[in-house]
Amino acid sequence: MKAPRWLVPFALAALLGWWISRPTGPSFVRLPGAGHPAPAWRMTNLSGTVMSSSDLAGRIVVLNFWATWCPPCRRELPELEAFHGQHGHQGIVVVGGATDQEG
């Protein structure tokens, strides 16, 4: 039985599409597992003081990146603030990092 004429070009196009879109190189990041430290970070807080992950060593940190132009991001900020208020006494810290200049 002979394959339809369209099958070979279709298969080659599908293979090429997969090859181009597959995750490779630096765009594919492996996250640390349980018991391993998170990557180090530094940022300037609203007071102008530089803070870093080492300042919060040994504590549970919820690090949230957001932007002023992102409506879902702005909606979640009060919830994160409330979470911090409820759990801060347990040593949990919530840090919000704005990804745009306006933040």
Side-chain angles (χ1 to χ4, degrees):
M1 179 173 191
K2 191 173 176 184
R5 290 181 63 168
W6 59 267
L7 185 59
V8 172
F10 178 80
L12 288 174
L15 182 61
L16 180 62
W18 169 81
W19 183 262
I20 292 171
S21 66
R22 75 191 194 295
T24 59
S27 63
F28 183 75
V29 178
R30 179 179 290 254
L31 297 176
H36 295 85
W41 53 266
R42 291 176 41 160
M43 66 176 71
T44 305
N45 66 19
L46 294 174
S47 305
T49 305
V50 175
M51 64 184 301
S52 69
S53 54
S54 62
D55 297 334
L56 303 171
R59 299 173 80 180
I60 297 171
V61 179
V62 177
L63 184 56
N64 179 52
F65 292 100
W66 64 285
T68 57
W69 52 261
C70 173
C73 300
R74 291 194 314 261
R75 282 195 301 269
E76 73 185 0
L77 292 176
E79 294 176 23
L80 288 168
E81 187 175 2
F83 178 84
H84 177 71
Q86 293 170 355
H87 301 284
H89 69 282
Q90 297 170 321
I92 298 174
V93 179
V94 178
V95 177
T99 60
D100 57 349
Q101 293 299 321
E102 293 79 27

